[in-house]
Amino acid sequence: MIDVHKNIVLETDIKRLMIPAQNVACVQPGNSLEHALLILIKSGYSAIPVLDAHSAVKGTISKTLILDGILGLERIEFDKLSERTVESVMSKKVLCLQETDTFFRAIELSINNPFLSVVDEQGVFVGILTRKAILAILYQYFRK
Ligand code: AMP
């Protein structure tokens, strides 16, 4: 068991496991909720990262947050989709992994997050690491 733990921590490279930035669906804080909803529906994901023009991670936007943001007292106010911005409803909780962090840190953070944004030393977004990718590695190690 100790050897398995050592191997995972020493050998698993976050950069190798992550989905690179160019393949990640994302939006900017100033985008309309309509735009964000289109991206979410077309990509098939329930939540995606929000990045500013300098590729800094600003938060996360999800279908649930968007629907909550356009909820009126008695009806869903669809006109708000074009009026409101991503920034006004996104989750501003920013929890990032450094690309040099240990795999153990990734496991720890993934417990409460289906995906983690990965940034370089300058804080520039370089990709995401999903809980699925982490579980797949753990499965391989424990299967050996
Ligand atoms: P998965 O493990 O593939 O189900 O992905 C878990 C979560 O990570 C998804 O629900 C999305 O929120 C996010 N995610 C995965 N792949 C992408 C991607 N290419 N672009 C944006 N978000 C993604």
Side-chain angles (χ1 to χ4, degrees), residues 93 95 107-116 131:
K93 191 179 91 176
L95 195 59
I107 298 171
E108 184 187 6
L109 292 181
S110 75
I111 293 171
N112 290 317
N113 299 282
F115 75 90
L116 300 161
R131 190 190 284 154

Side-chain angles (χ1 to χ4, degrees), residues 19-20 23-26 40 43-49 60-61 114-116 128-133:
I19 300 172
N23 296 335
V24 176
C26 58
L40 283 161
S43 66
Y45 298 118
S46 50
I48 53 174
T60 307
I61 188 79
F115 75 90
L116 300 161
I128 60 167
L129 183 61
T130 64
R131 190 190 284 154
K132 185 159 92 182

Side-chain angles (χ1 to χ4, degrees), residues 10-69:
L10 294 177
E11 291 173 10
T12 308
D13 180 12
I14 287 172
K15 271 189 275 184
R16 187 176 59 81
L17 279 189
M18 72 180 187
I19 300 172
Q22 67 266 27
N23 296 335
V24 176
C26 58
V27 288
Q28 293 200 349
N31 288 147
S32 68
L33 294 187
E34 186 174 24
H35 175 79
L37 192 56
L38 278 170
I39 301 281
L40 283 161
I41 292 169
K42 285 279 180 200
S43 66
Y45 298 118
S46 50
I48 53 174
V50 181
L51 309 177
D52 71 9
H54 308 287
S55 288
V57 184
K58 293 296 171 186
T60 307
I61 188 79
S62 68
K63 289 172 189 159
T64 308
L65 285 170
I66 292 176
L67 288 176
D68 196 48

Side-chain angles (χ1 to χ4, degrees), residues 70 75-84:
I70 61 169
R75 65 180 190 94
I76 296 175
E77 296 169 350
F78 287 104
D79 40 319
K80 283 193 181 162
L81 278 176
S82 55
E83 292 164 8
R84 299 196 67 179

